Every structure is written in structure tokens, then in C-alpha cells.
Amino acid sequence: MRAPFRRVLVANRGEIAVRVIRACHEVGAEAVAVFSDADADAPHVRAADAAVRIGPPPAESSYLSIEAVMAAARQVGADAIHPGYGFLSERAAFARACDEAGIVFVGPSADTLAGLGDKLAARRAARSAGVPVVPGTLEPAPVGDLAAAASVLTEAARVGWPLMVKAAAGGGGRGMRRVDRADDLPGSLLAASQEARAAFGDGAVYLERYVHGARHVEVQLLGDAAGRVVALGERDCSVQRRHQKLVEEAPAPGLTAARRRELHEMAVAVARAFALRNAATAEFLLAPDGSFWFLEVNTRLQVEHGVTELVSDLDIVQEQLWIAAGEPLSRRVLAAARAAATPRRHAIEVRISAEDPGRGFAPASGSIGRWRAPGGPGVRVDAGVDEGSVVGTDYDPLLAKLMVVASDRTAALARLRRALDEFDVTGIQTTLPFHRWIAADPAFAAARLSTSFVPDNWHPEGLRAAAAERAARLVAAFAGPGERVATGGFETGGVATGGAGPRRGADPPATADRGLAAADPPGGPERASASAATDAWLATARREAVDRWPA
């Protein structure tokens, strides 16, 4: 089989690097990983055909260093670079460096990255294409300019309160502030601008109306060098915390085929205005009154591309490689685009991150003990870690993506609950307790979605208390004679909330030593060994309690 490229350097880390490496291998291309000192033994390094060190752990000295990545590509003779998402994936300067070195950048052109990377330029282009744009400003707002303060307040009053201050470059919730009162606007402009400059090197910000109760819906796009652009379907990404996605699903619940076609056509119109080649995603708000409003275009592969793959039966990363090699959109892609408004499957993704959902999704770090991912029909796990992986704070906390697909949303939710029940991670706090909760939540099941779903519905305090009580009862039930058991300080992932740990009150907790998991609890037929078994069971139960949801 002819490969699109001989050797592809994957300029990323974690689960997306593994994902791209697998796609390279499946099309017959060699894959070269890059790594910082923190990732020397990471799964993506082991999955690749070769790997090159690019620097110390800080991202700006490694994964964000254009010079280091380009040097690695030249060193191994790569003829293409896939940037994944994040890091350098939307940097026009990186795409130009690839062009100048005669290396193919697997993504949109540098001009498209520059044009759509400027959200204000994208808003202007969308309006010119007749696509409704969220009301707001089309030029950067003056920051720290006392002389312009009055004009900014006038613009804010025109946009309406509450409003959002948003970075003109970048994404991921950085450089974004909600403002409810005029008195808070100057400080919010300055704070958002400073955050945007630190994250993206560009402090430009603008004003945009806050649409209360809106859903976040995005459209997956692919375009080729001949100018053909198609939509492969939409995803609902409304479940977010701090403007960062937690759960994604495809298709967006509740849309008719006609509304889907309308949305897809708007997304394609914006992409054509910038001559999109390769993959991108157009993001919209779906207001409570049913109207769509354009937000922005992300000119890269999205974290959540997998749910579209599961519904469309495409491998989007492989399609990226072929498009970058100069091939037109494949017959597979064109067929998927024709069927995009009438999907026959439903897929849901949850992001498993090293965060504590009971403490505002605060970052967690440590070494992973057990890592037992679910399997079975319709289950996919894209992971960038395994047992023994050390999770630090240098990079994004995403560990893996759990995806499920089924014939409809109800069946997909049932499959998701089962898969989450099987997912077993110890040694580090993850977002699994949150996902077990939402998979069983009636409001989520009814698709009563909005970008405020998490703050409106997720109240972990009572769940934590119930989990702690269950963990204490579990330990007490298997305590030895006369042993005192504290009732505080142990908390599990919440069996009461549809979770696991220890599961369903039947089996003893699993451990790294399967022999311990099989030990009989006290009162078994071999009383002589009961004490040792109890000690092992008790120690394991305590560890489970801490690992799943620490106090």
C-alpha cells in the first residue's frame, strides 16, 4: 500500500500523540515521537518507531519550541509533521517554518491559521458570509486606556449585560472573563488581556454578549486543496467547567435533520471564506430560542474528534494525512458528509483528567497505581498513560478519553455507565467520580444541556459525605475484633452515585496483587488465615477509599 508520507514526526505528547502514531502506522508511514525529560518513558515514546528528546519539562522549552521541534524533524529526515492539538497546532509561524524547511505541515495553511486564529477576523468573515455572529465587537477593545474608557462602556452597553471579555487569539478558556457590571469591566479587560498575552503572546481582547442558557455546538470540517469543504456532523460540548469541555457527544441531541443541514451549511460557508484545507471545527452557540450564533473556528484536530469518527465510521487523522499529501477528499469522506444530517448512531466522550471534581476540578499529581480501562462492544479508550505513569503539573491534566457508541443516545448512556463502572484508576485523583455522577443524572439523560450545566447541577459536597460514610462502613465491616475504625477521612468514588470503589458492595477491592483481591473476608471457612486476609482487605479498602476520592 502506498503511504501518504514516508516518515511523520508527531509534535505532541499524551493520548493525542499515541492516536496520531497509530494512524501513521495504519497508513504505512513511520512515526517519530518527540519528548521532554518528563516524558522519556511515556507511552507515546514507546509507541513510536523512533523518538527524539527536545528539551526539559517546561513546555516553552520543549513542546512549544519551534526551533527544537524543527531540529528534531531535520534530524530524523521527516517529510511531514503532525502537530496534534494544543501546543504548536494553531501557530502560523510553525506552519511557515515547516514550509520553509520543505516539510509538510499536517493541518491548514499558514495563511488560514493566521486568518482564523484571529477570532475577530473570523467574526468579520462570518458576518460577510451571512452567518449570524454572537453580538459583540469586531475590533480589539482598548485595555488600560483611560481616554477610551467611555467608548468601551458605550460599546458594552450596546452589546448588553452580562457580557464576555474574550481573547482574540488562542482558546481553552484562557483570556476569558464574564462581566456582569460596568464597574467590573476595566479590571476584567486588563486581567483577560494579561492572561491572553501570557498564554498566546497576544493580549488583544474583545467583547461578546453572554447568551444565558445556550448550548455549545460545533461542526467538524474537512477541506482539500481543490477548494472542496464538507461538514462531517456536529457535536454538543455544553458540559464544561471554566469554559473547558468535560463531556462531548455526537450528534447534538434534539436537532432535526433540517436544523443540522442549516448548521453544517453555515460552518462550511465560514471555512470556505478562508480556503480551509485539512481539518477544522466551527463553533456555535445554540440559544434557548433555537437560533445559532457563530463563535469561532479552531484550525486543528479537536480533542473530541473521536465521537465524530465513531458516528461517521471515518478515521479523521488518516484523512488529514492523505489531504496533507495532496489527495482530494476521499469517497469515504464525501459519503459521510452526505449522511451527516441523518446520523444512525450516537457517541459520547468523557475526558478522564487528573483533577479533583470535589474541589473545583483542582489539578492533581502523583503516580498511577492501577490503570484498568474498560472494553467490550462499542467502547474506545484513547489513553496517554498506563500503570506506573507519573503525572506532573507541567502539562494539561488530560489522561485519557473514554468514548462509547451505540444505536441511540439512550443505549449510549447505558454503555457509558457500564464502561465507567469498569474503569479502575488508583494512585491519583481523577474526574471519574464526576463522570459516574453525570452518566446517571436525570437532567443529562433528558439532554437539558447548557454551558452552565456544571455550576447549576454539580454539587459534590453531599456526594462526598455519602461516599465517606460508605467507605467507613466498608472498612468497619471487615475490621478485626476490637479494632477501632475512624469514620472520617476515607472517601470513595461514590457507589451511591453509580460509581465504583469498591464495586456494588460485593467483591473486595482489587489490588495490584490479585492474590490479595481474592482473599476471604473474616468469618470464612479457613479461620486460621482470616486475620491475614482481613489485614490485607482492610489496608486495600483504605487505599481504595483514598485513591478514588480523597478527603
Side-chain angles (χ1 to χ4, degrees), residues 55 96 108 112 118 159 233 246 353 363 404 426 510 533 539 548:
R96 290 195 184 97
T112 300
D118 180 348
V159 172
L246 292 166
S353 297
V404 298
T426 66
R548 291 185 179 277

Side-chain angles (χ1 to χ4, degrees), residues 17-75:
V18 175
R19 169 74 186 89
V20 174
I21 288 167
R22 286 171 171 163
C24 290
H25 288 162
E26 289 183 13
V27 297
E30 296 177 7
V32 178
V34 295
F35 65 92
S36 73
D37 293 337
D39 287 334
D41 191 40
H44 78 278
V45 173
R46 301 196 299 271
D49 299 290
V52 181
R53 177 188 177 274
I54 54 171
E60 60 269 19
S61 302
S62 51
Y63 298 105
L64 281 173
S65 171
I66 294 176
E67 294 77 11
V69 173
M70 294 305 300
R74 289 190 292 267
Q75 176 183 331

Side-chain angles (χ1 to χ4, degrees), residues 201-240:
D202 184 347
V205 294
Y206 63 98
L207 307 182
E208 183 179 270
R209 179 179 297 169
Y210 176 78
V211 183
H212 182 74
R215 290 164 57 183
H216 184 133
V217 180
E218 63 187 28
V219 179
Q220 178 66 60
L221 300 163
L222 280 180
D224 62 19
R228 176 174 277 181
V229 180
V230 298
L232 299 178
E234 80 288 343
R235 301 181 286 256
D236 192 298
C237 308
S238 301
V239 179
Q240 307 174 3

Side-chain angles (χ1 to χ4, degrees), residues 134-136 158-164 207-211 285 293:
V134 178
R158 179 186 63 80
V159 172
W161 306 97
L163 57 76
M164 299 295 295
L207 307 182
E208 183 179 270
R209 179 179 297 169
Y210 176 78
V211 183
L285 288 181
W293 298 93

Side-chain angles (χ1 to χ4, degrees), residues 228-290:
R228 176 174 277 181
V229 180
V230 298
L232 299 178
E234 80 288 343
R235 301 181 286 256
D236 192 298
C237 308
S238 301
V239 179
Q240 307 174 3
R241 53 94 174 91
R242 298 191 298 275
H243 311 294
Q244 295 181 324
K245 301 163 188 171
L246 292 166
V247 180
E248 301 98 349
E249 57 183 304
L255 298 184
T256 64
R259 296 306 316 278
R260 288 196 173 98
R261 290 190 185 95
E262 176 190 353
L263 175 63
H264 299 173
E265 289 168 2
M266 288 191 289
V268 168
V270 177
R272 282 180 177 154
F274 285 90
L276 173 69
R277 187 188 72 227
N278 217 277
T281 300
E283 303 197 352
F284 294 80
L285 288 181
L286 173 54
D289 65 2

Side-chain angles (χ1 to χ4, degrees), residues 182-209:
D183 290 348
D184 297 332
L185 183 58
S188 296
L189 284 168
L190 182 61
S193 176
Q194 291 174 338
E195 185 177 10
R197 187 176 302 281
F200 316 120
D202 184 347
V205 294
Y206 63 98
L207 307 182
E208 183 179 270
R209 179 179 297 169

